[in-house]
């Protein structure tokens, strides 16, 4: 097992949806964490071979406090100029819409737990000796405008809350639930998968037990 501490000033982890609806869930998702870790290892997550090569990966997510959620205004450029609009647009897209974009801030901090003996040394090398591997991209917090501030492999995990898979036998009364993406299929969105989670404290999480509900398999 490997535990990675991260902290970032901003982040956005969007559900699979239209670009005009730029909402974000409350924390990093499992599918985003998986892509983030592959990036640290210098592996292109969109390579079809990745699906079979790392099918046994399991991830856990811990947070000290859920970050705040805010909104900013952004321009969305649509369409291609044609006819009379071609000259007027001067090569730019003729239609511009203003819309809200949600983001996370003030408290985007926690742990990513990884259980995969093949990936663990690659990620350790990518964090501790990044110049030794060829990155295909930069690690970012769900949106390529938001980058990580601190990133460390830790030996001791501080007390926090962990996302735990909600089982049918559990009745989460007076608890908030979170719908987080576990797998995103960019070719066929019907194959994407999201599941319900609840937050549990570290003692209940049973962190070192691989059968604990905090360890979620990442698979199509």
């Amino acid at each position: 097992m490997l535990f990675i501490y991260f902290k970032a000033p901003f982040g956005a982890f969007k559900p699979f949806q239209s670009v005009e609806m730029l909402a974000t869930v409350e924390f990093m998702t499992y599918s985003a964490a998986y892509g983030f870790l592959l990036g640290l290892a210098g592996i292109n997550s969109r390579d079809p071979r990745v699906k079979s090569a790392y099918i046994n990966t399991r991830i856990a997510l811990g947070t000290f406090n859920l970050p705040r959620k805010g909104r900013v205004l952004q321009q969305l450029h649509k369409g291609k100029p044609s006819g009379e609009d071609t000259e007027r647009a001067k090569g730019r897209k003729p239609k511009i819409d203003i819309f809200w974009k949600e983001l996370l801030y003030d408290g985007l901090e926690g742990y990513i737990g990884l259980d995969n003996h093949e990936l663990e040394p690659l990620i350790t090398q990518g964090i501790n000796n990044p110049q030794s591997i060829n990155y295909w991209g930069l690690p970012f917090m769900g949106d390529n405008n938001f980058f990580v501030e601190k990133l460390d492999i830790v030996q001791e995990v501080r007390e926090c809350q962990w996302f735990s898979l909600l089982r049918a036998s559990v009745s989460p009364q007076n608890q908030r639930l979170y719908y987080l993406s576990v797998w995103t299929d960019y070719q066929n969105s019907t194959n994407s998968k999201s599941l319900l989670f609840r937050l549990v404290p570290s003692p209940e999480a049973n962190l070192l037990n691989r059968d604990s509900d905090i360890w979620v398999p990442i698979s199509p």
Side-chain angles (χ1 to χ4, degrees):
M1 290 181 180
L2 192 70
F3 294 95
I4 300 162
Y5 165 80
F6 73 92
K7 182 179 181 181
F10 301 101
F13 303 96
K14 300 180 283 292
F16 206 105
Q17 60 186 7
S18 169
V19 69
E20 292 94 337
M21 302 169 60
L22 288 182
T24 179
V25 296
E26 292 85 352
F27 197 69
M28 175 183 283
T29 65
Y30 291 85
S31 57
Y34 181 57
F36 182 79
L37 294 176
L38 291 178
L40 292 175
I43 299 169
N44 186 345
S45 61
R46 302 202 181 190
D47 187 331
R49 294 171 294 180
V50 170
K51 291 184 179 181
S52 57
Y54 304 108
I55 201 69
N56 59 336
T57 299
R58 291 192 295 179
I59 288 177
L61 294 175
T63 177
F64 300 107
N65 293 289
L66 288 174
R68 300 175 68 181
K69 185 185 291 189
R71 294 191 297 175
V72 295
L73 283 172
Q74 185 166 325
Q75 292 183 343
L76 180 65
H77 296 255
K78 293 182 175 180
K80 295 181 179 180
S82 61
E84 296 180 357
D85 290 331
T86 303
E87 177 61 24
R88 182 171 58 85
K90 302 298 182 183
R92 296 183 295 269
K93 295 182 179 179
K95 183 173 177 56
I96 300 176
D97 287 344
I98 304 297
F99 68 102
W100 288 107
K101 175 180 180 178
E102 290 187 341
L103 55 84
L104 302 176
Y105 70 101
D106 189 19
L108 184 53
E109 177 184 18
Y111 295 106
I112 303 173
L114 172 67
D115 183 15
N116 184 302
H117 69 277
E118 295 179 3
L119 277 177
E120 289 167 21
L122 297 177
I123 291 168
T124 300
Q125 180 183 11
I127 292 177
N128 294 334
N129 194 19
Q131 68 274 14
S132 65
I133 64 174
N134 294 321
Y135 281 96
W136 67 273
L138 292 172
F140 52 83
M141 291 283 103
D143 186 301
N144 57 13
N145 290 312
F146 302 143
F147 296 99
V148 66
E149 177 183 331
K150 293 183 179 180
L151 195 64
D152 292 303
I153 295 173
V154 297
Q155 301 301 319
E156 294 186 8
V157 178
R158 291 155 49 194
E159 286 280 327
C160 66
Q161 297 183 88
W162 294 86
F163 287 92
S164 179
L165 185 63
L166 182 66
R167 298 292 183 181
S169 58
V170 176
S171 178
Q173 297 186 20
N174 300 318
Q175 281 188 294
R176 185 176 177 182
L177 300 181
Y178 305 88
Y179 193 57
L180 302 179
S181 169
V182 174
W183 182 265
T184 300
D185 191 319
Y186 294 97
Q187 302 300 320
N188 186 353
S189 61
T190 60
N191 294 330
S192 298
K193 180 171 65 175
S194 297
L195 297 172
L196 278 173
F197 295 86
R198 62 191 180 103
L199 282 172
V200 300
S202 290
E204 184 181 338
N206 201 4
L207 192 58
L208 298 181
N209 181 2
R210 287 182 168 85
D211 294 325
S212 170
D213 285 338
I214 70 164
W215 290 103
V216 178
I218 306 300
S219 61

